[in-house]
Amino acid sequence: MKRFIYIFFTLMLMASCETPFSLDPGNVEPKIYAFCVPGAEDTTSIIIEIARPVGSSKEYDRSKAVVDFRINGEIQEVFFNKGYEHKNLPKDCFYVTRKMFPGDKVSLEVSLEGVRSVSSSTIVPDYPQETGFVIKRKEGRRSDFIVSYADDSDDTYYAAVFYQKRREYNESNDYEYIFYDVKFSGYEFDPFMSSPELVMNTMNNGNGLYFWKNSDAREKDGKKVVTFSEYITDDVKYGEHSGTDYSYEARIYRMTEELYNYYYSENVAGENYFNDFGMSRNNPVYTNIAGGFGILGGMASRSHVFDTTSQEDDRYLPEVQ
């Protein structure tokens, strides 16, 4: 019997089949991809890419795209960041410098010769209300990063980004260097995707973004509370007057439903274990860009920034409890 089973599985492994398919894209047209999140920062970047059919060698100059960006119906001046002219912006992106506020209505139209025009609209949501950020340290280095806010709605959406500030100083030589790093850890890898909305890496400027539905957040003392597990680093002293300090910032966002849906679809695709073997798609499937694909979705944020050693600079970050 064992010999029979061995022969059976050997034959199964030797069996093969062929399924011929064509790489001819047919009449597929190139499309414009647009990514823009107004309201998240003072300067709004607009990322434009051209998706070409398989086998197409035609080049498109994105800098020649005509970008019509309006706030409350008023057309805005749009600039192009050639290369890394402005290093804090994505390479070769368009951008608008006007600050936006909750309730602002934003519309976007993009056209480029030889490609179908695209359009979309969104609104900048209200700021998160009564936000808070606490770090509760546990044994070892993994600690609880707890964000809180007030919102009893079921149809709102939130996100958070955590930053680590590293301050290297030497009082004897009178120097100080400040470095900021985005924290990407939080939840363990989830191969069965039971909670795919909990962790993602946003495309916007490469920031690590955690996001969730407000209705999924637990409630405590009249506020919504979301807890993340993060690693923190102890301060280091090299002598009486030199060392390295570590502290942390939480930036809490409220986002539109469209933006949540885009990030969610991107994360579901990206966290799928079969992506590693080319067995499933790994791109977002949600879009609100008419005529193309991508996202135009609003965000508004609150930051908690305090210092562990000095109260003179309000950019510094909260004391670890």
Side-chain angles (χ1 to χ4, degrees):
M1 184 65 182
K2 291 182 178 180
R3 185 168 178 268
F4 174 77
I5 294 175
Y6 173 77
I7 294 174
F8 173 77
F9 279 104
T10 301
L11 292 174
M12 288 290 293
L13 291 172
M14 294 175 62
S16 64
C17 62
E18 293 184 2
T19 304
F21 60 92
S22 174
L23 293 177
D24 183 3
N27 295 322
V28 177
E29 299 178 349
K31 288 187 176 182
I32 293 177
Y33 167 86
F35 181 91
C36 180
V37 184
E41 305 290 347
D42 289 347
T43 299
T44 301
S45 60
I46 307 164
I47 299 174
I48 303 297
E49 299 284 354
I50 307 300
R52 299 175 300 178
V54 175
S56 173
S57 59
K58 185 174 181 179
E59 298 290 337
Y60 296 89
D61 187 352
R62 289 174 293 162
S63 67
K64 294 183 178 180
V66 178
V67 180
D68 185 304
F69 190 91
R70 299 175 185 246
I71 303 174
N72 299 322
E74 180 181 345
I75 192 167
Q76 305 297 310
E77 185 174 6
V78 178
F79 304 92
F80 184 71
N81 183 39
K82 185 176 181 180
Y84 288 107
E85 181 179 358
H86 299 286
K87 295 182 179 180
N88 60 328
L89 293 173
K91 180 182 178 182
D92 294 333
C93 76
F94 295 87
Y95 64 96
V96 176
T97 57
R98 175 173 163 179
K99 183 175 176 60
M100 282 171 269
F101 300 91
D104 282 348
K105 297 178 180 179
V106 179
S107 64
L108 173 68
E109 293 185 12
V110 181
S111 59
L112 179 64
E113 185 177 354
V115 187
R116 180 185 301 182
S117 299
V118 300
S119 62
S120 187
S121 62
T122 191
I123 189 170
V124 178
D126 195 7
Y127 296 117
Q129 302 297 313
E130 301 179 37
T131 55
F133 172 44
V134 175
I135 298 176
K136 289 189 176 180
R137 189 165 188 174
K138 296 182 177 179
E139 293 184 9
R141 294 173 56 206
R142 182 179 285 275
S143 303
D144 287 343
F145 280 41
I146 304 172
V147 298
S148 61
Y149 57 92
D151 188 349
D152 57 3
S153 302
D154 290 332
D155 57 350
T156 49
Y157 304 84
Y158 286 83
V161 177
F162 300 106
Y163 298 91
Q164 180 187 71
K165 188 194 91 172
R166 184 173 86 251
R167 184 177 73 98
E168 298 181 359
Y169 65 93
N170 188 316
E171 297 173 354
S172 299
N173 296 331
D174 194 26
Y175 79 77
E176 179 184 64
Y177 296 100
I178 305 294
F179 304 91
Y180 285 90
D181 299 307
V182 178
K183 299 288 290 181
F184 285 99
S185 60
Y187 287 84
E188 298 298 330
F189 174 62
D190 183 4
F192 299 105
M193 291 172 37
S194 59
S195 301
E197 74 276 13
L198 293 179
V199 183
M200 65 111 24
N201 176 23
T202 180
M203 296 172 61
N204 189 18
N205 299 329
N207 290 333
L209 186 76
Y210 303 92
F211 67 106
W212 63 91
K213 293 180 181 179
N214 184 54
S215 57
D216 292 338
R218 65 186 179 91
E219 188 169 341
K220 181 179 180 181
D221 299 329
K223 282 190 173 185
K224 289 300 181 74
V225 179
V226 182
T227 303
F228 302 87
S229 294
E230 293 282 1
Y231 287 102
I232 64 175
T233 307
D234 292 326
D235 295 347
V236 179
K237 293 284 289 185
Y238 303 120
E240 185 178 355
H241 303 289
S242 63
T244 302
D245 292 335
Y246 294 91
S247 46
Y248 301 86
E249 173 189 351
R251 187 169 298 175
I252 305 169
Y253 295 89
R254 184 171 172 179
M255 66 172 69
T256 60
E257 181 178 4
E258 293 83 7
L259 187 58
Y260 172 87
N261 289 337
Y262 177 86
Y263 284 154
Y264 180 83
S265 69
E266 180 185 53
N267 191 66
V268 167
E271 288 293 323
N272 193 329
Y273 176 74
F274 293 104
N275 274 339
D276 296 338
F277 305 98
M279 299 172 64
S280 68
R281 63 189 302 167
N282 63 355
N283 57 300
V285 296
Y286 179 87
T287 179
N288 69 344
I289 304 293
F293 59 103
I295 186 66
L296 175 67
M299 259 191 175
S301 68
R302 297 283 192 195
S303 294
H304 287 264
V305 284
F306 302 95
D307 191 5
T308 58
T309 57
S310 171
Q311 300 301 321
E312 297 178 0
D313 189 341
D314 63 1
R315 293 178 303 133
Y316 284 12
L317 312 171
E319 184 75 54
V320 176
Q321 297 184 350

